[in-house]
Amino acid sequence: MNSVRGDLGAWRMPPGTLVLAGTPLGNREDSSDRLRRALADADVIAAEDTRRTKRLAADLGVTLTARVVSYYDHREAERASELVEALRAGSSVLVVSDAGMPTVSDPGYRVVDAAVDAGLPVTCLPGPSAVTVALALSGLPSDRFCFEGFVPRKPGERARMLAQLVAEPRTVIAFEAPHRIAATLEACVEVLGGERRAAVCRELTKTYEEVKRGTLAELAEWAADGVRGEITLVIAGAQPRRELDAEELRALVAKEVDAGSSKKDAVALVAAATGTPKRAVFDAFHAR
């Protein structure tokens, strides 16, 4: 088991150690003293965007002496082996993303995995994360939650993801692009129901920070005219449901068929929306 220990009051980048560091979501004043020290002390900095990291250092009054290398999604596998070699040689390696915590829907996982496999020490400088900030601001239950990453871009994949969340009792958090949030909220209304409570958090910690709270139907209407900025979506978990009888299930399937769905699709939609097994919905619809 690898561990990193030391006096936090005089903390410095440990040699031969991989360090993950959370960076500000927007407001530079959220930077910790340890982040400043890590930027100044690191031998190698692996940055999602080297320009943004250099700008952050300049804003914090830190002079970089490290070798700064790019570390983004398409270069993760290639860079991971290079960074592990640097660790083996005794260099301290700092991993930072553009904003928030590395590995949380941002690059970082592969190099952590490689370092652990190599028996090298890994530690983390706690810092901002849009996931927990949005959860705290949402006004929704925060004792249990799950994070879904970015909502799939393709409508079919998005619908399948939402169908898996119909009966999820935990608060759900996901990232979404501003130009897709309206379509995603409409899909949420269709699959999860318009009355489900939710919050759209945009531009967290920045000048135009905004949190819109309401039902999914209300938020879909609000987003229809367009939304700007970095988006984190928070959706309330499902409430316990009573078991529907055959007549109620049959009526729901008939409603979907009348709306234009095929019988097969209607059965699937009702099953997903009610948490009832497909076979039970099918049998209820065809019972006479």
Side-chain angles (χ1 to χ4, degrees):
M1 180 180 295
N2 296 312
S3 63
V4 177
R5 306 168 73 176
D7 180 356
L8 297 185
W11 188 89
R12 288 290 184 270
M13 282 287 289
T17 299
L18 180 69
V19 179
L20 308 174
T23 55
L25 301 178
N27 192 324
R28 296 292 192 257
E29 294 184 9
D30 292 334
S31 302
S32 69
D33 288 340
R34 293 180 74 195
L35 173 61
R36 291 182 175 88
R37 291 178 192 146
L39 288 168
D41 291 351
D43 296 313
V44 180
I45 297 175
E48 185 178 7
D49 184 327
T50 58
R51 293 169 299 180
R52 291 186 67 165
T53 298
K54 289 175 181 177
R55 174 62 185 273
L56 172 63
D59 288 348
L60 297 178
V62 173
T63 300
L64 297 181
T65 59
R67 178 167 62 94
V68 182
V69 299
S70 58
Y71 186 70
Y72 50 89
D73 289 338
H74 298 298
R75 299 207 66 181
E76 271 204 272
E78 172 191 348
R79 284 293 191 201
S81 59
E82 296 178 20
L83 296 174
V84 166
E85 288 308 310
L87 291 167
R88 283 197 175 109
S91 295
S92 58
V93 176
L94 178 68
V95 178
V96 293
S97 55
D98 289 347
M101 184 59 65
T103 78
V104 182
S105 280
D106 271 332
Y109 161 74
R110 285 186 174 84
V111 69
V112 172
D113 186 46
V116 170
D117 281 348
L120 297 167
V122 181
T123 190
C124 181
L125 306 188
S129 172
V131 175
T132 50
V133 172
L135 176 65
L137 290 175
S138 69
L140 298 173
S142 57
D143 54 336
R144 299 179 66 223
F145 66 94
C146 59
F147 175 56
E148 290 292 319
F150 279 93
V151 177
R153 297 184 181 188
K154 296 181 179 179
E157 294 177 1
R158 179 178 61 208
R160 284 190 288 274
M161 171 198 143
L162 293 174
Q164 294 173 348
L165 299 175
V166 169
E168 173 57 64
R170 297 171 294 179
T171 298
V172 177
I173 306 168
F175 293 155
E176 185 54 292
H179 60 282
R180 290 194 298 268
I181 186 62
T184 290
L185 287 169
E186 289 177 3
C188 287
V189 169
E190 182 177 344
V191 178
L192 302 178
E195 294 306 309
R196 183 87 66 103
R197 294 168 60 209
V200 175
C201 306
R202 55 178 295 272
E203 294 293 273
L204 291 173
T205 80
K206 300 176 185 176
T207 302
Y208 297 104
E209 176 180 284
E210 180 180 26
V211 179
K212 294 293 290 186
R213 305 174 184 87
T215 65
L216 284 170
E218 291 168 343
L219 292 173
E221 182 178 358
W222 163 77
D225 293 332
V227 179
R228 294 182 179 180
E230 304 259 343
I231 302 291
T232 305
L233 176 62
V234 188
I235 305 172
Q239 297 297 310
R241 297 176 177 172
R242 68 179 180 85
E243 188 172 331
L244 301 180
D245 60 32
E247 183 177 344
E248 290 173 309
L249 291 171
R250 188 162 50 247
L252 290 172
V253 174
K255 181 179 179 181
E256 294 293 342
V257 170
D258 291 343
S261 296
S262 67
K263 292 180 181 179
K264 179 180 178 181
D265 289 343
V267 167
L269 286 169
V270 171
T274 62
T276 306
K278 284 186 182 180
R279 187 69 206 181
V281 178
F282 178 89
D283 290 345
F285 181 65
H286 290 281
R288 289 291 184 270

